[in-house]
Amino acid sequence: GTLDPGDMRELGTVMARHHLHAESTTPPESLRRPAWDLKGRFGHGALWGDGTRLRSLTPEDRLSLAEAAEAASQAIEALGRDRSVFGAIHADMTFENVLATGSGLVIIDFDDFGEGWFGFDIATALFFATPLANYAILAEAFLHGYESVRALEPSVRDALDAFLIARGMSYLGWAADRPGDPASDFAESRLGPWVAEAARRFTRTGSTGWIHQDDSSATPKGEI
């Protein structure tokens, strides 16, 4: 289906409330969850696998993704780990994990919950909207909703393209470890080229170029 800016705005407010809670709460020492830090995002130690191993990628694609991962890592690492930018995140807050109720949106599926940068949570919510012709409108609606509840550090907003690359590569890594799965087939045929091309743009310019996308006729849609 289509995404509505109003829905995106409401999701932004929900995520901001989650992040406000994370920022003000210290998890108990007994809580042990995988970290969505740099090791958890890229390369051989990535929680969802190494995106450069997706079997459908060309050698050029693999190089582009590796170069983009390095550039994105530097941009993300520069944010530091202050509690205003790093804390407990859902890490999979897509619309497939949102229930609409009479009292508002309810978030489900905390399987991937762990510590990470708040920007990665935001990129997760935005990622599957990137192919849509009105992505810029949807992204701004989400961010407007978010900032109506919680201030977003300018440095985090500036790093969103780096987080989108990280999120895209995590989906490729997930698919690389599950060849033959229908979702992996989608990743191999459509998501891989989509992320690899964005990786090339990101390495050259620091931008995925997705915010300027105005033609969704041949771009991937779906969920992994």
Side-chain angles (χ1 to χ4, degrees):
T2 59
L3 292 178
D4 178 84
D7 294 334
M8 291 297 285
R9 186 183 189 283
E10 187 175 0
L11 184 59
T13 66
V14 171
M15 183 177 288
R17 291 200 296 272
H18 277 245
H19 291 174
L20 276 177
H21 181 72
E23 188 176 10
S24 62
T25 304
T26 302
E29 285 295 323
S30 59
L31 182 64
R32 292 288 183 267
R33 294 292 297 170
W36 289 95
D37 53 13
L38 292 180
K39 180 180 178 182
R41 294 167 195 277
F42 300 113
H44 299 296
L47 297 178
W48 276 18
D50 182 354
T52 65
R53 292 178 50 250
L54 187 68
R55 62 184 182 180
S56 63
L57 296 173
T58 68
E60 180 188 16
D61 289 340
R62 297 181 202 283
L63 178 60
S64 296
L65 289 168
E67 291 175 343
E70 177 63 28
S73 294
Q74 292 177 12
I76 292 169
E77 189 173 26
L79 295 174
R81 296 197 182 194
D82 184 84
R83 293 187 71 172
S84 65
V85 299
F86 189 96
I89 61 173
H90 182 278
D92 198 17
M93 202 179 290
T94 65
F95 268 92
E96 283 69 22
N97 291 327
V98 177
L99 299 179
T101 73
S103 57
L105 300 182
V106 174
I107 308 303
I108 63 172
D109 192 356
F110 283 76
D111 287 357
D112 297 303
F113 156 73
E115 279 199 323
W117 281 275
F118 295 140
F120 187 68
D121 240 4
I122 294 172
T124 298
L126 296 179
F127 182 81
F128 282 103
T130 60
L132 304 179
N134 64 339
Y135 169 63
I137 295 171
L138 295 171
E140 284 307 310
F142 179 93
L143 293 171
H144 186 267
Y146 186 101
E147 294 191 284
S148 72
V149 173
R150 178 182 185 271
L152 183 63
E153 294 284 335
S155 58
V156 176
R157 184 186 271 262
D158 291 343
L160 281 182
D161 277 303
F163 284 116
L164 285 167
I165 290 293
R167 181 75 273 187
M169 289 190 65
S170 74
Y171 288 125
L172 301 190
W174 186 98
D177 287 345
R178 295 164 178 82
D181 185 285
S184 296
D185 293 342
F186 166 77
E188 290 178 359
S189 63
R190 305 187 70 183
L191 195 58
W194 178 245
V195 177
E197 182 56 35
R200 284 187 275 275
R201 289 193 297 266
F202 180 77
T203 302
R204 292 196 309 266
T205 69
S207 169
T208 58
W210 285 336
I211 198 71
H212 305 296
Q213 183 64 236
D214 58 6
D215 178 9
S216 62
S217 61
T219 52
K221 297 177 177 64
E223 176 59 73
I224 292 182

